[in-house]
Amino acid sequence: MTPREASEKEAGAPPTLGIGMVGYAFMGAAHSQGWRTAGHVFDLPMRPVLAAICGRDADAVRAAADRHGWAAAETDWRRLIARDDVQVVDICTPGDSHAEIAIAALEAGKHVLCEKPLANSVAEAEAMVRAAADARSRGQLAMVGFNYRRVPAISYARQLIAEGRLGTLRHVRVTYLQDWLADPAAPLTWRLMRERAGSGALGDLGAHIVDLAQFLTGERLVGVSALAETFVKERPVLSGATAGLSGTAGSETGPVTVDDAALFTGRLASGALASFEATRMASGRKNALQLEINGEHGSLAFDLERLNELSFHDHTEPAASSGFRRILVTEPEHPYLEAWWPPGHALGYEHTFVHQARDLVEAVAAGTDPVPSFADGLQVQRVLAAVEDSAAKNAVYTPVPQP
């Protein structure tokens, strides 16, 4: 026990939980916000401490550490894992490094939070699940970061469905539309390289909507039929970049090796039908995640761009007065909201990462299995692989000309 830990114990303060994060870009900033804020909002059994952040560019990672409040910066994730002041390793890197870092961290006795999708392949995800199971027997926990589960309105929708308010489920529709690649001049970054990202819109956005469909319904997808397309097959290569991570676009172009969009249907274990669309080419759509679930007794609808609201229809009411009604999900009785602002004071995207941090800290303190687990991440990975396989088989054909 360090002198600081002894002092905190004597003062009755909660024990600390050292966080080490690998990756410092967009998702690293979001996770930093979550770790930095969770202990100031919720009464946690352990106090997260931002011990160290890691990235390959020494100057950039030091700047990120200063900006986001990390005590130290590392340029080698192996050194970060070896630090005595790190008990949780948070992985916010491209998918090609998830398996290696997560398995090494678990074998080193650390708890692990890994961003979605869990890996770039089913085989890698299976290896991560095996490592997590071995680590669990030693007391280490592993969780995958599907942050949209932590939107209070989505968590509340899950409660309503679990309570049977919709009755037997019949339809699930989920779309996730963005437009940041709609411009053909957008540069070739790592997210457009199969060897780095695994897949395109399918893994980036489709992983979220597959997880949400299974989380909300409490069911697994058991079959899919898919189409996928890469609309812009060559993009400007970044010059002065490191592995396609940063730089400026030059005149040279390189191949896009992932999908721009994926469209697929599915069947849930109960027989309910589902449809999904994921694209980064829907001009005008910035972060439009929308879902609707229809059951025999009612329906629910949600729009991420209005994330404090849930639309609910009770089909058992008289037709003359029934219809979709707006539920403002800001009451203290709603999930996660007991510690936030008075009713009507809205939350935002960044709060999902605060809730994620809270849930993992509480699981570590209690020694209980966090959700979603690596096994949940593997299930999503299997669906994504099935979608890719189906899309490959549903190839474009040329109709025979009519005489």
Side-chain angles (χ1 to χ4, degrees), residues 25-281:
F26 163 56
M27 198 49 59
H31 281 230
S32 296
Q33 173 81 353
W35 291 119
R36 191 172 60 243
T37 307
H40 297 294
V41 175
F42 296 100
D43 185 13
L44 297 179
M46 304 180 78
R47 182 170 61 86
V49 174
L50 280 64
I53 187 172
C54 181
R56 289 176 295 180
D57 185 319
D59 291 338
V61 74
R62 182 66 259 174
D66 293 341
R67 182 166 60 252
H68 298 302
W70 293 88
E74 299 280 1
T75 56
D76 185 336
W77 60 262
R78 294 170 184 83
R79 285 202 299 268
L80 178 132
I81 287 174
R83 292 178 65 108
D84 291 336
D85 58 350
V86 169
Q87 288 83 51
V88 175
V89 174
D90 185 354
I91 304 169
C92 297
T93 60
D96 62 326
S97 60
H98 285 186
E100 184 180 15
I101 298 172
I103 292 170
L106 289 167
E107 290 177 347
K110 313 295 184 178
H111 308 291
V112 172
L113 169 62
C114 183
E115 254 304 321
K116 64 83 212 165
L118 186 61
N120 276 4
S121 70
V122 170
E124 288 177 342
E126 288 174 338
M128 294 170 75
V129 169
R130 289 193 296 271
D134 290 343
R136 185 67 182 93
S137 66
R138 303 188 298 270
Q140 279 79 58
L141 307 180
M143 187 171 84
V144 61
F146 285 111
N147 65 296
Y148 290 135
R149 289 188 178 204
R150 269 85 185 189
V151 174
I154 288 179
S155 289
Y156 186 53
R158 165 69 171 155
Q159 288 184 17
L160 293 174
I161 293 170
E163 291 168 1
R165 297 291 294 274
L166 303 192
T168 300
L169 301 182
R170 293 170 175 164
H171 295 285
V172 178
R173 295 178 206 86
V174 200
T175 62
Y176 201 165
L177 316 178
Q178 295 181 347
D179 73 352
W180 62 276
L181 286 176
D183 182 356
L188 185 70
T189 66
W190 70 266
R191 289 188 180 275
L192 302 177
M193 303 173 185
R194 176 170 289 276
E195 67 272 19
R196 301 298 311 281
S199 64
L202 178 61
D204 186 17
L205 308 181
H208 274 304
I209 59 180
V210 167
D211 180 68
L212 285 180
Q214 296 185 139
F215 169 65
L216 286 167
T217 62
E219 298 185 38
R220 290 188 172 188
L221 284 161
V222 296
V224 296
S225 180
L227 298 172
E229 185 58 63
T230 304
F231 298 111
V232 179
K233 295 178 171 56
E234 295 272 336
R235 289 187 179 273
V237 173
L238 293 172
S239 60
T242 302
L245 294 176
S246 61
T248 57
S251 58
E252 181 186 354
T253 64
V256 175
T257 53
V258 299
D259 59 279
D260 283 328
L263 178 69
F264 55 103
T265 56
R267 184 185 301 275
L268 294 168
S270 66
L273 302 180
S275 66
F276 303 86
E277 183 178 4
T279 180
R280 302 184 293 203
M281 300 284 281

Side-chain angles (χ1 to χ4, degrees), residues 161 164-171 292-301 311-317 324:
I161 293 170
R165 297 291 294 274
L166 303 192
T168 300
L169 301 182
R170 293 170 175 164
H171 295 285
E292 183 170 319
I293 300 177
N294 310 121
E296 62 175 329
H297 298 322
S299 297
L300 287 168
S311 294
F312 174 62
H313 166 64
D314 186 343
H315 201 59
T316 66
E317 295 180 355
F324 276 94

